[in-house]
Amino acid sequence: MSAPTTPTSPAPAPVPAAPSGDAPSLTSVFVRLKLSLLRNGLRQSGGRTTAYVASGVFALLLAAGIVLAFVALRGSTAAGTVAVLLTGIFALAWAMVPLFVPSGDETLDPSRLVMLPLLPRPLIRALLVASLVGIGPVLTLFVVFGAALSVAHGAAGTVAAVIAVPLVTVACVALSRAVAAANIRLLTSRKGRDLALLSGLVIAVGMQVVNFAAQRLGQPGGLDSIAPAVSVVGWLPPASAIGAVEAASEGSYAVAAARLLITAAGLAALVHWWRRSLERLMVEPDGSTIGAAPSAGREDGGTGFLGRVLPAGRTGAAMERTLRYAWRDPKTKAAWVTSLALGLIVPVFNAVQGAGSIYWACFASGMLGSLMYNQFGQDSSAFWMVAQTISTKADAYAELRARALAMLAVTLPYSILATVLTTAFLGDWSRLPEALGLALGLLGAMLGTGAVASALFPYTIPQDSGYKNVAPGQAGLAWISIFGGMFAAALLCAPLIGAALYCHLTDRHSLLWLLLPAGVLYGAFLVRAGLKLAAPRAADRLPEILTAVSKG
């Protein structure tokens, strides 16, 4: 009798043999991925291809011009100062780009890689090498090469330059990646998009700073005046590597070695910071997976500081809504911050340079007053909620008056501040009443004409694009609203301007102080008159306004 058989599990399937060839390295995979993203992006549209080619040609021409300029500086006493300073500026630009243009490079977002089974160390190595592919790194390489060429002399300087050029280039790219990884959750949030919208402000302010610095450097002894700052930058990575080339050329080998070590240590610190940021992204939850904590100490129904200081009723509610839009809405915030910054920078910088006029103080009033234009369009499609509360001319007047009061809460003290600072830098205090009267008169004219333009020429401000401020087909309305209103405001200021010219031409300077009370009264009159004219038109054209601001 045979023994009973027991059921057995089926034999496991044979494991397929691994391919004989070696698997491709992660670095080569990421480089090919970067090239594929670039190639596929250019295939999407001819305009993108044209823009990329034009950018590449411009970058090459700029790089060639900078290298030739450095060649011309070779042997000059200013070569070291310019080389170190320009390297520091390029490094600062690399740190700023991911903050203000987070969508410029899709591979800057490391959160797309957190679900892949990759270790941080090889991932960083692969990302760093892939980041060297592009127009920016090539431009930086040429600039750093030119900077090193201008200060490299002798065998020691050449050896230091060979080490410094790739070191600086890699450090700049690593700096950009580390900053992007550390702030990626901010940059992909609403606040990050707000920050990107303010990039235009940074460019405008930067242009003023560059203009001011260029004028100062163009003066006799201008380079000597920044020598202390350059000596400090020369010890900061990665500019310290270019300082090392200069030191090696002069025979200061210990200083050269120390500066190269500083740059290498800075690169190592950036890579470590980058790695820690990647590890946090891989293991820590973001705000979308964490429940909102209950607000402590907040009273139910309270509206905070604004609710306590603003008047009660419709006026206070409309004022608070306008100020909250200015703080929370990205487009409105960008317009406010740009106007506030340029309104102060332009007159003050001109006064500091010694080439300004007291009348530059009116620039702040003009910039801030322009925010009154297209008030209803700033609400976009949400204006229909406001429209439900407007049924009479009195309602329209109350709405526009509240918006004007909210504007004045900020623009009035700011215009006074800009005028006082401009006068202080010019040192001509005797003309302060005249300048302040003209500035306040212009502010009143801008607010009054802005209310009328808002009622007659409303247009949509698209919310789906950070670079479009007018909906398709409404550019004509925007031009008429803004520039037509500004022209009308200039004409309305003619009495104040005429009075100032009369006092100057007839040498009656003792009467110029009267422009201050005249400007205050005349500006208040223009604001009230503009609101009175705009209110009935806004009430009568409410359906047309609602349609115009809701397009797109």
Side-chain angles (χ1 to χ4, degrees):
M1 183 175 181
S2 62
T5 60
T6 57
T8 59
S9 58
V15 179
S20 58
D22 295 334
S25 67
L26 186 63
T27 301
S28 63
V29 171
F30 270 69
V31 171
R32 291 199 302 270
L33 178 61
K34 178 66 176 288
L35 294 175
S36 298
L37 288 173
L38 179 61
R39 182 175 59 253
N40 294 335
L42 296 179
R43 288 176 177 176
Q44 291 183 0
S45 65
R48 178 176 292 191
T49 303
T50 303
Y52 186 83
V53 172
S55 300
V57 172
F58 175 77
L60 287 177
L61 293 176
L62 179 62
I66 293 176
V67 171
L68 290 177
F70 274 124
V71 171
L73 278 175
R74 184 176 173 85
S76 172
T77 56
T81 300
V82 176
V84 171
L85 185 61
L86 189 60
T87 304
I89 292 174
F90 258 76
L92 181 62
W94 272 99
M96 299 287 287
V97 164
L99 294 178
F100 294 104
V101 195
S103 60
D105 186 354
E106 295 177 346
T107 63
L108 280 175
D109 187 358
S111 62
R112 302 186 180 188
L113 308 173
V114 297
M115 298 301 294
L116 299 178
L118 301 175
L119 296 176
R121 188 184 299 274
L123 179 60
I124 287 177
R125 183 170 58 250
L127 285 174
L128 183 58
V129 175
S131 301
L132 295 174
V133 178
I135 295 177
V138 173
L139 174 62
T140 304
L141 179 64
F142 276 99
V143 171
V144 176
F145 170 77
L149 182 64
S150 66
V151 295
H153 302 283
T158 303
V159 171
V162 171
I163 300 173
V165 170
L167 191 61
V168 173
T169 305
V170 174
C172 288
V173 176
L175 174 61
S176 176
R177 287 289 181 171
V179 171
N183 298 277
I184 191 61
R185 287 176 178 167
L186 168 66
L187 298 177
T188 53
S189 65
R190 182 182 63 83
K191 292 183 178 180
R193 291 191 291 271
D194 294 353
L195 192 64
L197 285 174
L198 300 180
S199 58
L201 169 63
V202 176
I203 294 174
V205 174
M207 291 176 62
Q208 290 292 329
V209 173
V210 170
N211 179 37
F212 177 70
Q215 292 188 8
R216 291 291 300 270
L217 293 178
Q219 298 175 357
L223 288 175
D224 296 335
S225 62
I226 63 171
V230 173
S231 63
V232 174
V233 175
W235 285 95
L236 298 177
S240 56
I242 301 300
V245 178
E246 183 181 15
S249 300
E250 296 174 351
S252 302
Y253 303 123
V255 174
R259 290 183 171 181
L260 285 175
L261 287 176
I262 288 175
T263 304
L267 176 58
L270 288 173
V271 172
H272 179 71
W273 180 29
W274 186 7
R275 179 182 176 180
R276 293 294 300 274
S277 299
L278 285 178
E279 290 175 349
R280 285 196 300 270
L281 286 172
M282 291 178 176
V283 301
E284 293 182 4
D286 59 8
S288 62
T289 60
I290 301 176
S295 57
R298 182 175 178 177
E299 298 178 359
D300 294 337
T303 55
F305 174 75
L306 291 178
R308 292 193 297 270
V309 300
L310 295 178
R314 176 178 186 136
T315 299
M319 290 179 66
E320 183 174 357
R321 183 182 68 247
T322 301
L323 294 174
R324 289 191 182 277
Y325 277 0
W327 179 252
R328 294 181 177 179
D329 181 66
K331 289 290 186 70
T332 308
K333 179 189 290 186
W336 269 94
V337 175
T338 302
S339 298
L340 289 171
L342 294 183
L344 188 63
I345 289 174
V346 171
V348 169
F349 266 54
N350 279 278
V352 170
Q353 293 173 15
S357 169
I358 192 68
Y359 301 114
W360 271 110
C362 296
F363 186 82
S365 300
M367 288 293 298
L368 297 172
S370 64
L371 297 172
M372 186 66 185
Y373 291 82
N374 196 33
Q375 277 292 306
F376 303 134
Q378 295 177 16
D379 296 354
S380 189
S381 58
F383 178 68
W384 73 270
M385 300 179 64
V386 179
Q388 303 303 315
T389 66
I390 300 177
S391 57
T392 63
K393 297 178 181 179
D395 293 336
Y397 178 80
E399 176 68 26
L400 287 170
R401 182 186 61 183
R403 293 177 183 245
L405 289 174
M407 297 280 299
L408 283 170
V410 179
T411 58
L412 181 60
Y414 202 81
S415 297
I416 296 174
L417 173 65
T419 306
V420 171
L421 287 179
T422 304
T423 306
F425 281 108
L426 289 175
D428 194 359
W429 290 102
S430 62
R431 302 185 64 182
L432 176 61
E434 173 192 1
L436 195 55
L438 292 174
L440 297 181
L442 176 60
L443 179 61
M446 294 290 289
L447 294 180
T449 56
V452 176
S454 297
L456 296 179
F457 308 107
Y459 57 90
T460 301
I461 300 178
Q463 301 297 316
D464 57 348
S465 173
Y467 306 99
K468 293 181 180 179
N469 292 316
V470 182
Q474 292 186 329
L477 283 174
W479 280 83
I480 294 174
S481 174
I482 298 175
F483 292 100
M486 290 182 177
F487 180 73
L491 291 179
L492 291 173
C493 290
L496 293 176
I497 298 174
L501 288 175
Y502 173 79
C503 291
H504 282 289
L505 293 176
T506 58
D507 293 331
R508 299 186 178 183
H509 301 286
S510 59
L511 300 178
L512 286 172
W513 69 271
L514 293 174
L515 286 175
L516 178 55
V520 173
L521 296 176
Y522 188 62
F525 167 76
L526 291 179
V527 174
R528 182 176 178 81
L531 295 176
K532 288 290 187 180
L533 288 174
R537 288 159 178 79
D540 296 338
R541 302 184 69 252
L542 195 59
E544 291 87 345
I545 294 174
L546 187 58
T547 302
V549 302
S550 301
K551 288 185 177 181

